């Protein structure tokens, strides 16, 4: 039985996201104020690469060239990262915390709502398993909260930065949705009618707002 083209798109987008996150996170680690923090972010980058390998191996097992599966998402994801290059350590952490959080929420929603016949058990489990664990977000959140406590004015700067990240992420998501009909069809197959689509975006917005509030940032 052939694998749904939308599932290939889903795995390909995740794989390229992990590959690019590794590259950017490793570079951002050089913004760290000390070696301990640099090592922590570098460890996160290594985790991204390990997840990329798992996704690439799965695509290969499905008879798909990982590079071909990733290519349709190169422009959108590179544009997002190029347009949101952090200028300092706190911006790098906010990007990891906010940007990766939005991405994780989306992929989690898709994996959980798709029927079993569309997203097979191994693929569903893989998608959910490569999402970032709480320790990833806790580190970034702790750093952001400590910086705000030391200098409350930091909150306004990082809030503006987070809004820029969110706007850019939504812009590139719209581009992907317009260009990759298999992936869009896959998402719509899971959420169903228009009301369900609205519900999906409400849940994503609610999660994003809670994430911002948790570290003292404003939407």
């Amino acid at each position: 039985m052939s694998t749904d083209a939308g599932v290939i798109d889903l795995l390909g987008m995740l794989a390229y996201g992990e590959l690019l996150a590794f590259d950017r996170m490793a570079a951002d680690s050089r913004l760290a104020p000390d070696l301990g923090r640099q090592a922590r972010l570098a460890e996160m980058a290594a985790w991204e690469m390990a997840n990329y390998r798992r996704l690439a191996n799965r695509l290969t097992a499905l008879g798909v060239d990982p590079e071909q599966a990733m290519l349709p998402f190169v422009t959108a994801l590179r544009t997002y990262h190029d347009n949101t290059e952090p200028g300092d350590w706190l911006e790098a952490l906010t990007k990891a915390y906010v940007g990766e959080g939005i991405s994780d929420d989306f992929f989690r929603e898709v994996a959980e709502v798709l029927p079993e016949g569309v997203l097979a058990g191994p693929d569903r489990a893989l998608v959910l398993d490569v999402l970032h664990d709480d320790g990833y977000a806790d580190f970034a959140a702790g750093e952001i909260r400590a910086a705000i406590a030391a200098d409350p004015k930091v909150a306004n700067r990082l809030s503006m930065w987070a809004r820029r990240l969110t706007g850019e992420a939504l812009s590139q998501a719209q581009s992907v949705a317009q260009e990759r009909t298999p992936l869009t069809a896959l998402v719509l197959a899971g959420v169903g009618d228009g009301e369900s689509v609205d519900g999906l975006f409400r849940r994503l917005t609610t999660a994003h707002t809670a994430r911002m509030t948790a570290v003292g940032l404003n939407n």
Side-chain angles (χ1 to χ4, degrees):
M1 183 174 63
S2 62
T3 303
D4 187 279
V7 173
I8 299 302
D9 266 3
L10 182 69
L11 297 178
M13 184 178 183
L14 257 175
Y16 187 63
E18 297 284 1
L19 182 60
L20 197 53
F22 159 76
D23 180 63
R24 298 310 173 103
M25 210 169 282
D28 291 347
S29 70
R30 290 177 291 186
L31 298 170
D34 56 56
L35 293 178
R37 290 178 173 89
Q38 181 179 359
R40 187 66 184 272
L41 200 59
E43 288 172 355
M44 292 181 182
W47 188 84
E48 303 279 5
M49 178 54 74
N51 283 335
Y52 158 75
R53 176 45 53 195
R54 295 177 64 191
L55 289 158
N57 288 344
R58 177 56 181 163
L59 285 164
T60 300
L62 292 171
V64 179
D65 180 350
E67 182 175 353
Q68 293 303 312
M70 293 188 292
L71 277 176
F73 307 101
V74 168
T75 298
L77 293 181
R78 276 189 180 170
T79 299
Y80 167 75
H81 283 288
D82 289 346
N83 290 347
T84 57
E85 186 171 346
D88 60 27
W89 173 243
L90 289 176
E91 287 188 0
L93 285 178
T94 302
K95 182 176 178 179
Y97 179 71
V98 173
E100 298 295 342
I102 294 172
S103 175
D104 285 351
D105 288 342
F106 170 75
F107 285 115
R108 185 178 294 107
E109 284 278 352
V110 172
E112 290 179 346
V113 302
L114 284 173
E116 184 68 29
V118 177
L119 190 64
D123 296 320
R124 185 192 306 273
L126 177 58
V127 169
L128 293 172
D129 199 38
V130 299
L131 302 182
H132 304 91
D133 62 24
D134 291 340
Y136 184 97
D138 289 346
F139 168 70
E143 291 284 306
I144 295 168
R145 280 194 292 263
I148 293 173
D151 181 4
K153 290 183 293 185
V154 168
N156 288 332
R157 177 170 72 88
L158 294 183
S159 293
M160 292 179 61
W161 173 241
R163 286 193 289 272
R164 179 178 166 186
L165 292 168
T166 304
E168 188 64 37
L170 291 174
S171 174
Q172 297 310 318
Q174 289 173 347
S175 175
V176 169
Q178 292 169 359
E179 296 178 7
R180 298 305 299 172
T181 52
L183 180 60
T184 302
L186 181 75
V187 175
L188 293 178
V191 299
D193 57 25
E195 183 178 354
S196 296
V197 173
D198 291 340
L200 167 64
F201 282 101
R202 280 197 300 271
R203 291 191 297 275
L204 293 175
T205 300
T206 297
H208 171 65
T209 300
R211 188 177 299 109
M212 295 278 283
T213 301
V215 294
L217 301 180
N218 301 314
N219 283 308

